[in-house]
């Protein structure tokens, strides 16, 4: 079905509408063979609070952006190549339900659908697209992904030293390797993570030691394995560091 739609007039028109909704600030989305599979609003778990985002699933990329005017205008376009995507279901907890993780080498985050059926459909379609892409390219699934950041609301004290309390003066920071919320003194070091940035990024002392000794797997699992176990105290991304490229999302 995807191949049949690839060069159809209806598909070209749908993609053109998406391009127009993002305006001149968005990147062109129409290329030969690209098909718009589906679209919808998902709740993205950002650092400070969950936010509604418009998502578009194509057969080779996942695109999302901020909603300015529903179905008419979006901004801050993000494009994620599906070849690098892996997804994992998240257990329901409190008000956060019907969610899953979208994990890539450069950025990973949680999203939530309105219903269990919608979640199932999104996950099935994403997995099918990823599987088809890898099958055609002969590549293997990505085994590296960026950490999912712990929301600010889950940490009143530094998650490393367990002592420093966060205040308007003592700000929260995020380790780019494990995703933990940490204080300034526990995250003074920087380390080059090529998949995330071309320059060294902020990491906590714990991860710095692991990375320096080559124990990267242990550092990565610190956050990934504990995601479903971390408390969801409230429905309460990144404004702690001036160098963060996604400070408003």
């Amino acid at each position: 079905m995807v191949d049949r739609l690839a060069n159809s007039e209806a598909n070209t028109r749908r993609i053109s509408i998406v391009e127009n909704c993002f305006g001149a600030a968005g990147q062109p989305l129409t290329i030969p063979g690209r098909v718009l599979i589906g679209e919808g609003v998902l709740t993205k778990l950002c650092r400070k609070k969950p936010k509604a985002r418009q998502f578009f699933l194509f057969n080779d990329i996942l695109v999302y952006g901020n909603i300015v005017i529903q179905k008419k205008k979006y901004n801050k376009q993000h494009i994620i190549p599906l070849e690098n995507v892996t997804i994992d279901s998240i257990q329901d907890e409190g008000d956060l339900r019907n969610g899953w993780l979208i994990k890539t080498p450069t950025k990973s985050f949680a999203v939530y659908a309105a219903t269990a059926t919608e979640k199932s459909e999104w996950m099935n379609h994403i997995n099918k697209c990823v599987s088809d892409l890898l099958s055609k390219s002969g590549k293997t699934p990505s085994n590296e992904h960026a950490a999912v950041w712990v929301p600010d609301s889950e940490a009143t004290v530094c998650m490393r030293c367990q002592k420093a309390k966060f205040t308007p003066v003592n700000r929260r920071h995020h380790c780019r390797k494990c995703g933990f919320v940490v204080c300034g003194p526990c995250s003074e070091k920087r380390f080059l993570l090529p998949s995330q940035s071309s320059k060294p990024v902020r990491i906590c002392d714990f991860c710095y030691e692991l990375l320096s000794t080559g124990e990267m797997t242990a550092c990565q699992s610190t956050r990934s394995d504990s995601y479903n176990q971390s408390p969801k105290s409230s429905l309460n991304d990144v404004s702690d560091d001036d160098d963060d490229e996604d400070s408003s999302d």
Side-chain angles (χ1 to χ4, degrees), residues 203-238:
I203 60 174
C204 68
D205 292 347
F206 177 78
C207 287
Y208 183 83
E209 292 301 321
L210 290 176
L211 287 165
S212 298
T213 57
E215 299 180 38
M216 296 180 67
T217 300
C219 184
Q220 181 70 57
S221 65
T222 302
R223 176 56 180 157
S224 303
D225 295 345
S226 64
Y227 184 85
N228 284 321
Q229 301 171 14
S230 62
K232 304 295 186 300
S233 56
S234 70
L235 280 177
N236 292 340
D237 122 35
V238 176

Side-chain angles (χ1 to χ4, degrees), residues 80-88 101-109 130 134 140-148 176-178 191-197 201 211 216-221 224:
I80 303 174
L82 285 178
E83 274 191 347
N84 299 326
V85 169
T86 56
I87 59 176
D88 289 324
L101 297 179
I102 295 175
K103 303 187 295 184
T104 79
T106 57
K107 182 177 182 179
S108 301
F109 53 90
V130 173
L134 294 177
T140 56
S142 176
N143 58 4
E144 178 186 1
H145 59 83
V148 180
R176 293 340 192 239
K177 187 60 180 176
C178 67
F191 200 92
L192 181 62
L193 302 177
S195 63
Q196 295 189 38
S197 176
V201 293
L211 287 165
M216 296 180 67
T217 300
C219 184
Q220 181 70 57
S221 65
S224 303

Side-chain angles (χ1 to χ4, degrees), residues 30-167:
T30 303
I31 65 170
R34 176 168 290 165
V35 176
L36 177 57
I37 305 297
E39 61 184 272
V41 177
L42 298 173
T43 298
K44 180 175 178 289
L45 188 59
C46 299
R47 174 181 174 181
K48 293 186 179 298
K49 62 180 181 179
K51 300 176 182 178
R53 296 287 183 257
Q54 180 73 30
F55 280 78
F56 299 93
L57 176 63
F58 296 83
N59 59 332
D60 61 334
I61 58 174
L62 183 66
V63 178
Y64 72 92
N66 295 6
I67 302 171
V68 180
I69 303 174
Q70 182 64 42
K71 297 188 179 297
K72 290 186 178 181
K73 185 176 181 181
Y74 310 109
N75 63 14
K76 297 186 179 178
Q77 183 190 70
H78 297 261
I79 299 178
I80 303 174
L82 285 178
E83 274 191 347
N84 299 326
V85 169
T86 56
I87 59 176
D88 289 324
S89 180
I90 304 173
Q91 294 179 357
D92 292 344
E93 189 165 352
D95 293 328
L96 296 174
R97 308 179 67 81
N98 310 314
W100 67 98
L101 297 179
I102 295 175
K103 303 187 295 184
T104 79
T106 57
K107 182 177 182 179
S108 301
F109 53 90
V111 293
Y112 296 85
T115 67
T117 299
E118 187 179 344
K119 169 187 174 177
S120 178
E121 290 176 347
W122 269 101
M123 292 189 69
N124 288 338
H125 284 307
I126 292 173
N127 277 326
K128 179 65 166 58
C129 289
V130 173
S131 176
D132 288 348
L133 280 172
L134 294 177
S135 177
K136 290 178 181 179
S137 67
K139 296 180 180 179
T140 56
S142 176
N143 58 4
E144 178 186 1
H145 59 83
V148 180
W149 286 20
V150 178
D152 282 1
S153 60
E154 293 185 26
T156 56
V157 299
C158 175
M159 297 178 72
R160 285 305 181 196
C161 69
Q162 299 292 322
K163 296 177 181 179
K165 292 184 178 181
F166 296 120
T167 67

